[in-house]
Amino acid sequence: MLGFTVITYVGVKFIGLDLPEWLVIGGTINMLASNALMIAFAGAAAWRRYNWRIAAFALLNPLYWILHSVAAWRAAWQMYFSPHRWEKTPHGLTEEYEDSSVVAE
């Protein structure tokens, strides 16, 4: 969403995209206010459930959202160019864990 807002702003200011000014301002305010509310609600929920030290991490939500976007674009790229590849994350590593990708000699 942030990227779309930036592209729209750049398009209006520099490329000559013809959008009413009230629409650009309203969209920007809406994006900033809704993101601020999501961060505030995440912080309030964490504060109520845990404490303020955990709630402070809600300020990092925009970075988390960007990382989600990068992961989604990477997954879409991999689905198109190598659909049969599967990057599985091993969970529950124990002494009995055997990695099937390692060939024993």
Side-chain angles (χ1 to χ4, degrees), residues 29-45 58-59 61-62 65:
I29 290 171
N30 182 28
M31 191 266 308
L32 292 174
S34 59
N35 283 333
L37 278 174
M38 286 191 289
I39 293 168
F41 284 141
L59 297 173
N61 269 345
W65 298 330

Side-chain angles (χ1 to χ4, degrees), residues 63-79:
L63 177 63
Y64 185 65
W65 298 330
I66 290 170
L67 292 176
H68 269 259
S69 179
V70 169
W73 281 107
R74 182 172 184 229
W77 179 268
Q78 285 181 348
M79 284 296 295

Side-chain angles (χ1 to χ4, degrees), residues 25 27 37 48-49 53 59 66 70 96:
I25 292 171
L37 278 174
R48 183 174 177 168
R49 184 163 183 177
R53 291 181 181 144
L59 297 173
I66 290 170
V70 169
E96 296 89 29

Side-chain angles (χ1 to χ4, degrees), residues 10-92:
V10 168
V12 168
K13 291 293 181 186
F14 301 111
I15 299 174
L17 184 63
D18 190 23
L19 288 176
E21 187 174 345
W22 65 267
L23 185 63
V24 174
I25 292 171
T28 303
I29 290 171
N30 182 28
M31 191 266 308
L32 292 174
S34 59
N35 283 333
L37 278 174
M38 286 191 289
I39 293 168
F41 284 141
W47 193 330
R48 183 174 177 168
R49 184 163 183 177
Y50 302 107
N51 62 24
W52 66 270
R53 291 181 181 144
I54 300 298
F57 285 104
L59 297 173
L60 296 176
N61 269 345
L63 177 63
Y64 185 65
W65 298 330
I66 290 170
L67 292 176
H68 269 259
S69 179
V70 169
W73 281 107
R74 182 172 184 229
W77 179 268
Q78 285 181 348
M79 284 296 295
Y80 184 75
F81 288 105
S82 58
H84 302 293
R85 183 177 176 193
W86 184 26
E87 295 177 347
K88 184 172 183 332
T89 304
H91 296 282

Side-chain angles (χ1 to χ4, degrees), residues 6 36 43 45 55:
V6 168

